[in-house]
Amino acid sequence: MTENRKAVREEMNELPEGFKMTELGPIPKEWKIERLEEMVSEIMSGEWGKDENAPGLVACRVLRGTDFAEAEKCNLSKVPVRYVKLPPYRDAS
């Protein structure tokens, strides 16, 4: 455990109502911690998308390697939002 996380645990004698302590520190009780690879529905390369929304496009966040340090702290404020066309539906069967 890093020193920072250890200090947070030691400082927190009581958690606010609705929070639980985790290995990352306090989080809302209804949240769970998962690996990024479990949360990402698709990894794409090459398609950067459009700057603005248009018919047939959907918004998505583009998590770049340079965003990982802030994303680890749950800060996605600088992760770009781009607009891409969804691929045709693919039957999984």
Side-chain angles (χ1 to χ4, degrees):
M1 181 180 322
T2 66
E3 289 301 315
N4 186 31
R5 290 183 188 159
K6 186 176 180 181
V8 168
R9 285 181 182 232
E10 290 173 357
E11 290 175 14
M12 299 287 293
N13 292 333
E14 273 189 49
L15 293 173
E17 180 76 28
F19 280 75
K20 65 182 177 182
M21 182 56 75
T22 70
E23 63 268 21
L24 299 177
I27 64 172
K29 284 184 179 178
E30 62 274 3
W31 289 13
K32 61 183 177 177
I33 296 174
E34 293 190 23
R35 296 183 57 78
L36 181 60
E37 64 192 15
E38 297 167 359
M39 302 298 296
V40 174
S41 61
E42 185 173 346
I43 297 174
M44 296 176 16
S45 63
E47 175 62 48
W48 178 242
K50 308 289 182 198
D51 289 329
E52 296 181 15
N53 201 357
L57 301 180
V58 295
C60 67
R61 292 198 180 269
V62 179
L63 189 62
R64 307 160 297 178
T66 59
D67 300 315
F68 283 14
E70 289 300 310
E72 181 179 35
K73 297 182 257 180
C74 299
N75 179 7
L76 300 178
S77 64
K78 293 183 180 177
V79 174
V81 174
R82 304 295 294 182
Y83 299 91
V84 297
K85 183 175 180 182
L86 288 177
Y89 175 74
R90 289 175 263 164
D91 189 355
S93 56

